[in-house]
Amino acid sequence: MSDAVSRALHEKALQVMPGGVNSPVRAFQSVGGSPVYIQSASGPWLKGADGRRYVDYIGSWGPMILGHARAEVVEAICEAAQQSSSFGAPTQGEVALAEKIRDFVPSMQMVRLTSSGTEAVMGALRVARGYTGRDLVVKCIGAYHGGADYLLVKAGSGAATLGAPDSAGVPKAIASTTSLVHYNDIEGIQQLFKARGRDVAAVIVEPVAGNMGCVAPELAWLEELRSLTEEYDSLLVFDEVMTGFRVARGGAQERFGLTPDLTCLGKILGGGLPVGAYGGRRDVMSMVAPSGPVYQAGTLSGNPLAVAAGIRTLELLDEEGFYERLESCAQTVASILAEASKRSSAQVQIQRVGAMLTAFFSPEPVRSWREADRCDRDAFGRWHRSMLERGVYWPPSQFEAAFPSITHEGPCLEVTEQAAREAFAAL
Ligand code: PLP
């Protein structure tokens, strides 16, 4: 239940913005109630519009891996702003960030910066189509890759909770350039390639699914994607907008030891400011304008504030022991939930890969959208409201991952533990 101040704000918001929000999942529609409005945040703590404190497990849907308002990042943004917030001309910072990206993710031999993950994915797939001369893109049912028309086909995340995984307004002809397979389904992808392999420009995949909730990839399936795309001269695109810098320093490709042709990044890369990037093989990326014929551009691409926040963020990720400590924070959160869930009659699967996790209200492990779709959404909604009342701001959808940060230690975990015990017991 949100507070009176938030409810009053939401009433006003509903008059001027569709659903009162600027991105659907924020409206809390799938868990009931109205959203908590946020005033400020620090470390793992959010401060609501009425001054109440919450432990934050959304982390702006991924970017805030260092916790909120980390002093060094704030300083970098302020310093950059003093030099002007945008030039629309090349800067030293962009080069430094591109070099840093290549250092973290060596398969990204060349990089193009954008202003969002959506744009990064659109750029990567346009290059894949330009490079291969083919139109067909393969994606997984329940995966979300941003708001491009041809990717809003059986998309997860907010689209799934609205019960409208296929958005209105997407022309059928455009949707028909996308083919669908289930996550972790080796036979499915083999059959698709057998039938249409020579039409496939690219397979795009979240190498750890986050937008149907957190679902680990089976290594044999990822390897099959790699080998089929090679065999049929298609490209393998890892959408690491969510997993990049999160499930390992070099993203899922480092964690699982696989090399895609192209990679998309976003979220953490901008340290909380709007940034995306796509990149990969030099021969493929050389197709991008002005080097080659694939057009893609952006007024604010490589924005100096976002670039400064990104560089400082990546530098901090490189501090001694960062990923071990992050893993331990996330592991503790997962254990707290697993232990607390034993108090409830609901069957719950806590699924985690690195610092991404989901509490699935499901009797069986979730391997794909087939199982995710069978989760008890009502029970999840009740649990979510209960956690919120007890000061824990969990993502308001069964099909989202939670994103602990490096600051999820100490008192915020005590609040989480107490809330989880009570919320599961109350189900
Ligand atoms: N790809 C993945 C895997 C995502 O999770 C998201 C957003 O949640 C996007 C792409 C789109 O990124 P953005 O919201 O920055 O446009």
Side-chain angles (χ1 to χ4, degrees):
M1 184 67 149
S2 65
D3 55 278
V5 182
S6 290
R7 285 200 298 280
L9 282 169
H10 199 53
E11 280 303 312
K12 286 215 258 186
L14 285 166
Q15 304 307 312
V16 286
M17 295 187 281
V21 290
N22 284 310
S23 200
V25 73
R26 296 181 197 171
F28 274 45
Q29 278 186 0
S30 76
V31 290
S34 74
V36 175
Y37 278 63
I38 306 300
Q39 202 181 111
S40 64
S42 173
W45 300 101
L46 293 174
K47 190 169 163 193
D50 69 343
R52 190 171 170 209
R53 228 166 51 139
Y54 299 87
V55 184
D56 181 22
Y57 283 100
I58 300 182
S60 187
W61 303 101
M64 310 314 289
I65 196 165
L66 299 170
H68 290 276
R70 172 80 178 241
E72 295 93 324
V73 178
V74 174
E75 212 172 278
I77 296 168
C78 293
E79 265 174 31
Q82 307 237 325
Q83 316 299 319
S84 179
S85 50
S86 191
F87 311 111
T91 63
Q92 198 179 341
E94 290 168 285
V95 185
L97 185 57
E99 285 175 346
K100 260 203 171 303
I101 291 173
R102 199 179 50 180
D103 173 51
F104 275 68
V105 189
S107 73
M108 297 178 79
Q109 294 168 346
M110 295 194 93
V111 175
R112 168 64 57 88
L113 296 179
T114 63
S115 299
S116 69
T118 294
E119 280 179 86
V121 170
M122 290 173 75
L125 291 177
R126 188 175 301 139
V127 183
R129 285 167 159 168
Y131 181 82
T132 57
R134 303 171 181 177
D135 291 342
L136 194 65
V137 166
V138 178
K139 79 175 273 288
C140 291
I141 297 171
Y144 179 68
H145 300 289
D149 281 353
Y150 58 95
L151 295 169
L152 285 179
V153 183
K154 300 270 179 275
S157 184
T161 48
L162 284 177
D166 303 303
S167 174
V170 175
K172 281 200 179 67
I174 290 182
S176 71
T177 62
T178 304
S179 269
L180 299 163
V181 288
H182 271 293
Y183 205 77
N184 279 328
D185 180 358
I186 291 189
E187 228 173 88
I189 192 74
Q190 285 171 338
Q191 279 169 6
L192 193 144
F193 265 88
K194 209 166 158 201
R196 298 200 64 188
R198 296 282 160 211
D199 299 332
V200 175
V203 175
I204 183 161
V205 65
E206 295 179 68
V208 174
N211 288 294
M212 54 180 118
C214 178
V215 177
E218 283 156 24
L219 190 55
W221 174 71
L222 279 185
E223 284 169 349
E224 189 65 12
L225 298 184
R226 179 64 287 184
S227 85
L228 283 170
T229 43
E230 263 166 17
E231 186 184 334
Y232 286 84
D233 297 320
S234 313
L235 298 186
L236 179 61
V237 182
F238 272 9
D239 179 351
E240 298 231 38
V241 168
M242 197 180 266
T243 53
F245 314 108
R246 178 164 284 281
V247 300
R249 180 181 184 275
Q253 54 198 276
E254 176 187 304
R255 194 171 178 115
F256 298 109
L258 281 160
T259 306
D261 300 298
L262 293 172
T263 299
C264 307
L265 297 172
K267 300 198 189 260
I268 290 172
L269 181 63
L273 269 68
V275 169
Y278 64 98
R281 277 168 44 188
R282 186 174 294 279
D283 60 331
V284 179
M285 287 302 289
S286 299
M287 297 287 289
V288 179
S291 297
V294 176
Y295 193 74
Q296 185 270 315
T299 300
L300 292 177
S301 295
N303 172 262
L305 268 57
V307 163
I311 292 173
R312 199 70 194 100
T313 298
L314 297 196
E315 282 167 0
L316 292 165
L317 301 186
D318 260 344
E319 284 185 345
E320 183 73 28
F322 181 90
Y323 282 95
E324 288 79 6
R325 199 175 134 201
L326 182 69
E327 185 81 22
S328 148
C329 294
Q331 162 69 51
T332 310
V333 176
S335 309
I336 286 172
L337 293 181
E339 199 49 44
S341 69
K342 291 181 190 157
R343 293 165 172 255
S344 120
S345 54
Q347 286 175 293
V348 180
Q349 312 285 329
I350 308 297
Q351 295 191 194
R352 178 181 78 86
V353 179
M356 286 170 63
L357 70 141
T358 296
F360 283 110
F361 283 67
S362 160
E364 56 190 337
V366 175
R367 295 179 61 241
S368 72
W369 179 248
R370 282 189 268 241
E371 298 83 29
D373 195 30
R374 291 199 287 263
C375 283
D376 186 341
R377 301 172 198 209
D378 288 343
F380 175 83
R382 277 184 273 124
W383 179 76
H384 184 273
R385 289 194 291 280
S386 223
M387 291 290 273
L388 194 65
E389 274 162 25
R390 291 166 173 81
V392 176
Y393 195 106
W394 197 259
S397 159
Q398 172 67 103
F399 308 118
E400 297 283 359
F403 300 108
S405 75
I406 194 79
T407 60
H408 281 75
E409 293 177 320
C412 76
L413 294 185
E414 288 162 27
V415 171
T416 307
E417 186 161 18
Q418 169 101 17
R421 279 188 189 166
E422 292 175 9
F424 276 116
L427 271 178

